[in-house]
């Protein structure tokens, strides 16, 4: 069956986005304890491109498949995990790039349940909130925003997504903060 990317964020309600998120089936890498440890000879560049032995991986389907196997340890190292092996992968900045964001109101109109929905460079949809917090790093002159995706892996917001989020923040207040699923996040590093 051919791959069908999720619809554009602008076309979806928060409930539809949550349904898309729930439908994504990921491998249960948390339950695997592979004995073989090695190096994947792969790298994820700061711009989100994946490489193997120095060559760009051009097949998006392979990148999507590999991204479902990614983990990040407490020491910051990234791995691709299968039932049989745990292979290191070099990640220059973040494992994912957030390429779009949309503020969506809750189905019942409760403002504290509104959500910020993000699309990643792998076509995944993520709703910021308690399980997927936003964090600002860097300095006030050169901030960088990251979204927790899963298993310690993060997505860095690209420039246009950061600008979209800044517009959302300024439309709500002058505090440079945004709220998603009842949690408030600063767009300025502490």
């Amino acid at each position: 069956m051919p791959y069908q990317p999720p619809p554009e964020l602008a076309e979806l309600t928060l409930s539809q986005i949550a349904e898309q998120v729930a439908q994504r089936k990921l491998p249960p890498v948390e339950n695997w304890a592979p004995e073989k440890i090695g190096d994947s000879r792969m790298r994820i560049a700061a711009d989100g491109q994946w490489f193997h032995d120095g060559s760009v991986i051009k097949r998006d389907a392979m990148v999507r498949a590999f991204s479902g196997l990614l983990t990040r340890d407490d020491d910051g190292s990234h791995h691709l995990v299968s039932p049989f092996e745990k292979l290191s992968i070099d990640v220059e900045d973040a494992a994912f790039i957030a390429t779009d964001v949309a503020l969506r109101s809750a189905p019942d109109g409760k403002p504290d349940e509104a959500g910020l929905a993000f699309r990643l460079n792998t076509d995944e949809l993520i709703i910021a909130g308690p399980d997927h917090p936003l964090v600002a790093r860097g300095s006030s002159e050169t901030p960088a925003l990251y979204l927790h995706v899963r298993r310690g892996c993060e997505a860095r917001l690209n420039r246009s997504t950061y600008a979209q989020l800044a517009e959302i923040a300024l439309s709500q207040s002058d505090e440079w903060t945004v709220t998603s699923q009842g949690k408030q996040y600063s767009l300025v590093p502490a």
Side-chain angles (χ1 to χ4, degrees):
M1 173 156 61
Y3 172 71
Q4 293 293 324
E8 294 299 320
L9 286 176
E11 301 169 5
L12 298 172
T13 66
L14 189 59
S15 296
Q16 291 169 323
I17 293 167
E19 184 178 317
Q20 291 277 334
V21 170
Q23 286 178 1
R24 174 111 200 263
K25 302 291 185 238
L26 292 168
V29 300
E30 303 84 10
N31 302 331
W32 298 337
E35 293 182 21
K36 183 178 177 188
I37 307 292
D39 181 6
S40 69
R41 301 186 333 261
M42 295 173 71
R43 173 175 67 91
I44 303 173
D47 66 2
Q49 285 199 11
W50 288 57
F51 293 83
H52 182 260
D53 283 339
S55 297
V56 174
I57 298 175
K58 296 179 181 178
R59 294 182 56 202
D60 292 338
M62 288 185 73
V63 170
R64 279 191 299 276
F66 287 136
S67 72
L69 301 173
L70 270 174
T71 65
R72 181 174 170 216
D73 293 341
D74 292 339
D75 66 3
S77 60
H78 289 78
H79 296 91
L80 293 170
V81 179
S82 78
F84 310 104
E85 7 178 52
K86 181 178 181 180
L87 304 175
S88 64
I89 179 170
D90 182 35
V91 177
E92 290 180 2
D93 186 5
F96 301 94
I97 303 292
T99 59
D100 193 14
V101 63
L103 177 62
R104 292 288 170 255
S105 49
D108 54 13
K110 293 181 182 174
D112 61 332
E113 293 179 15
L116 290 164
F118 292 86
R119 178 184 292 275
L120 306 183
N121 59 323
T122 55
D123 278 340
E124 283 184 71
L125 301 179
I126 305 286
I127 301 171
D131 294 332
H132 303 283
L134 281 166
V135 63
R137 295 194 187 112
S139 67
S140 57
E141 292 82 33
T142 56
L145 286 175
Y146 294 85
L147 172 69
H148 180 266
V149 176
R150 67 176 162 274
R151 302 181 200 121
C153 295
E154 296 177 315
R156 182 173 179 165
L157 277 62
N158 67 11
R159 185 176 296 211
S160 63
T161 306
Y162 182 90
Q164 287 175 286
L165 196 60
E167 285 181 30
I168 292 168
L170 290 175
S171 73
Q172 295 176 348
S173 74
D174 291 334
E175 298 296 317
W176 285 96
T177 61
V178 292
T179 302
S180 185
Q181 296 193 323
K183 294 289 183 182
Q184 189 174 55
Y185 303 101
S186 174
L187 304 188
V188 180

